[in-house]
Amino acid sequence: MVNPHAVCDGGDLDCGSGLLLIIKKAMDPLEGGQILEVRSRERTVAEDLPAWCRMVNHQFLGSEPGENTTRYFISKGAAQEELEQDLQAAKGYQWSVRVQGEKDLSAKIHSRNHSFIAGQPADFSPRVNAPSAIDYLLGALASCLTVGFKAQASRKNIEIDHLELSLKGGLENVLYHLELEQEGSARMKQIAGKFYVSSSEDEVVLEELWRNTLDRSPIYQTLIRTVPIDIKLAIVF
């Protein structure tokens, strides 16, 4: 029976999406040899966490599987990378992409270990060879909010049964973008949608979770300064 000196809950986060920073912050006040219990529902942590412990000279003591959450135990090593350095490195991180023009009216985007194709900036045909830049913009906003809400809920141990977000957006004048008119603007004029949440949790808690998700979403906070965004929260029981 392991008696931890501190406990942190990573919910559904994996080691590449913030869990290690949470662990480091919980580990920082502990003295060498003291034990941290890490709770997680993400299956990849079972393999990644012991490897990380070996890299930073902590001792991985083992785990105790539960019905929904696995408990991992780490003994703090004498040498630990400074938390403040890691936090500053995270603050200064910059995402980068490389884009190549293809033979047709499309572009190939390379991002880390992924690549994908984007079609014409604004293509409103029902069938296209590749999503347009506006499709990706709306998809970026929708995924940022959906995954962000789920992550917020996970950290607070709030059970979410189902999430779905539908978005629509239009341009001020798509004909100006297509050079068929000389008046107007190609900027987006509005984005609207509905965010469906199915959960047994109290409405007040879910509404607060939604507000916090909007507040901490990098895509939403960037777009809201230039485009009116109206997304309604719909709680389904």
Side-chain angles (χ1 to χ4, degrees):
M1 181 70 176
V2 180
N3 294 314
H5 298 87
V7 177
C8 70
D9 196 323
D12 295 311
L13 296 176
D14 60 33
C15 290
S17 61
L19 175 60
L20 295 183
L21 284 178
I22 292 174
I23 293 174
K24 289 177 182 179
K25 191 170 184 179
M27 185 78 77
D28 191 52
L30 300 182
E31 297 178 359
Q34 290 189 318
I35 297 171
L36 174 69
E37 176 185 327
V38 179
R39 296 174 182 173
S40 176
R41 292 191 293 272
E42 168 58 42
R43 59 179 181 82
T44 61
V45 173
E47 181 177 347
D48 294 341
L49 189 57
W52 175 77
C53 288
R54 290 192 295 270
M55 290 172 56
V56 296
N57 297 319
H58 294 319
Q59 183 181 1
F60 182 74
L61 301 178
S63 62
E64 292 183 4
E67 185 175 347
N68 296 312
T69 301
T70 300
R71 302 166 65 205
Y72 301 92
F73 302 97
I74 304 170
S75 176
K76 182 176 180 177
Q80 182 191 21
E81 189 174 350
E82 290 294 328
L83 173 65
E84 187 59 31
Q85 292 178 359
D86 292 336
L87 295 178
Q88 290 304 319
K91 288 180 180 179
Y93 183 82
Q94 293 189 22
W95 283 258
S96 64
V97 298
R98 181 171 56 90
V99 181
Q100 296 173 303
E102 298 290 276
K103 292 181 180 180
D104 56 2
L105 291 178
S106 65
K108 189 171 187 178
I109 300 99
H110 303 273
S111 174
R112 289 183 273 191
N113 59 317
H114 291 277
S115 62
F116 51 94
I117 299 293
Q120 298 181 57
D123 189 332
F124 43 87
S125 303
R127 296 179 64 86
V128 293
N129 293 328
S132 73
I134 293 178
D135 292 322
Y136 279 117
L137 185 146
L138 293 175
L141 174 60
S143 61
C144 189
L145 294 176
T146 302
V147 177
F149 188 93
K150 187 175 181 180
Q152 292 274 346
S154 176
R155 293 188 191 103
K156 295 175 173 59
N157 287 315
I158 297 173
E159 289 290 332
I160 303 296
D161 299 321
H162 182 71
L163 296 177
E164 184 172 321
L165 173 55
S166 61
L167 289 180
K168 291 184 177 180
L171 304 185
E172 285 191 0
N173 187 355
V174 70
L175 299 183
Y176 180 82
H177 160 68
L178 297 172
E179 298 189 75
L180 297 176
E181 290 186 0
Q182 302 307 314
E183 301 291 332
S185 169
R187 72 186 293 271
M188 295 199 73
K189 64 179 178 181
Q190 52 80 33
I191 297 174
K194 188 167 285 190
F195 188 65
Y196 297 92
V197 179
S198 175
S199 174
S200 59
E201 188 58 70
D202 184 78
E203 274 190 59
V204 175
V205 174
L206 295 175
E207 289 169 355
E208 175 60 27
L209 203 64
W210 174 238
R211 286 192 293 269
N212 198 37
T213 299
L214 294 176
D215 184 55
R216 296 178 184 273
S217 164
I219 306 300
Y220 178 86
Q221 289 299 323
T222 299
L223 292 178
I224 193 63
R225 285 158 172 75
T226 57
V227 184
I229 302 177
D230 181 21
I231 305 175
K232 305 293 187 185
L233 176 65
I235 301 173
V236 182
F237 294 100

